[in-house]
Structure formats: C-alpha cells, structure tokens
Amino acid sequence: MQYEPTLSREALIDFALNKYFARVDAKDMEAVLDCFHDTALFCVQTAFTRHSGKAEIRRMFEDFFGAYETIIHRDFTCTVDEANGRITACFTAELHDESGQVTLLENTNFWRLRPGDDGPRFQEVYVYMSGANVLV
C-alpha cells in the first residue's frame, strides 16, 4: 500500500538521521519507539528476522541497548524518494561492548513512512547487515 507523502527530502533525511538514529545512539527508548507506527514492521533481511508491532520492536531495542555500552551510527549516504515518502541510508554501525570489543557493520536501511495524526512514522523498516545480526 502506498501512503500520501508528507515530508520533503530534507525532512525525510532529518527524520532518519536526527530523530531516529540520534535517539538510537543515545539509547532513548521512548523517542526511538515514537518513530514507529503501532503496527510497524522491522525486518533484518540478511538474517530472516522480523519484529511486528511496537512491543516486539521495543523488546528488540531493549536487547540491543543492553548488549552495547556505546552505539554509533555514522558516515551516512542517503537516497530519498520524496514523491513516495521513502528513504534509504547506507552507513557504518560502530558498536562497543562492555569488555571493549568493537563491532563494525556496513548496513543499509530502507524505510517507508506513513502519515499519522501525530505526524509521519515508520511503517516498514528493512535492514541489510554486513555481519551477524545484532537486532535479534
């Protein structure tokens, strides 16, 4: 299903990088979840995993936030489909665990935003990850 687009190119990039990834890196659970519709779908395509709805997405992020002391998403390259409210970002995920181990992943995310009463939110997220799935 296609949704009526409501954000400009710049606003789509801002949503993905500043509203979403900046909050993931800060481990701000409520702000991260506020980026998703209640019925959102979050899929890690390279690991065949699927999280459906905010409760499952919350649990996934709780595990992710608990596994790493520091989470950094950086070096973004974004491609935007403004006419259809979609955005893709290629980036590096740098993850530091409590023992000092660093995991570097080269990922690509595809997002579809859907309008809502409180503004647009992610309806679908598809993640392609270069290494082992850290979003279990």
Side-chain angles (χ1 to χ4, degrees):
M1 171 185 282
Q2 192 63 38
Y3 301 109
E4 190 69 30
T6 59
L7 296 178
S8 67
R9 172 184 170 71
E10 295 76 21
L12 284 163
I13 292 171
D14 183 66
F15 190 95
L17 303 190
N18 298 317
K19 187 170 183 186
Y20 176 64
F21 274 127
R23 300 301 169 239
V24 170
D25 291 356
K27 298 184 181 183
D28 184 345
M29 180 66 76
E30 296 313 313
V32 169
L33 291 176
D34 191 46
C35 293
F36 293 89
H37 272 279
D38 290 340
T39 61
L41 180 64
F42 191 110
C43 299
V44 180
Q45 296 293 87
T46 49
F48 308 107
T49 60
R50 172 184 177 121
H51 308 285
S52 183
K54 274 193 178 180
E56 289 183 21
I57 293 169
R58 174 187 289 278
R59 200 257 335 129
M60 177 198 72
F61 277 113
E62 285 172 347
D63 292 350
F64 180 55
F65 291 168
Y68 298 99
E69 290 288 315
T70 305
I71 300 168
I72 301 167
H73 292 89
R74 59 180 169 81
D75 303 331
F76 293 96
T77 301
C78 296
T79 303
V80 175
D81 178 359
E82 183 178 353
N84 293 299
R86 296 176 187 231
I87 180 170
T88 298
C90 298
F91 57 92
T92 299
E94 181 179 332
L95 312 171
H96 299 252
D97 68 19
E98 65 182 30
S99 69
Q101 288 290 115
V102 177
T103 301
L104 289 176
L105 300 166
E106 298 300 325
N107 295 356
T108 301
N109 284 16
F110 295 82
W111 297 284
R112 182 168 68 130
L113 280 82
R114 177 178 141 200
D117 294 337
D118 297 338
R121 303 280 191 273
F122 294 136
Q123 181 61 46
E124 295 173 8
V125 178
Y126 297 98
V127 177
Y128 291 79
M129 199 172 293
S130 66
N133 182 13
V134 297
L135 301 172
V136 181

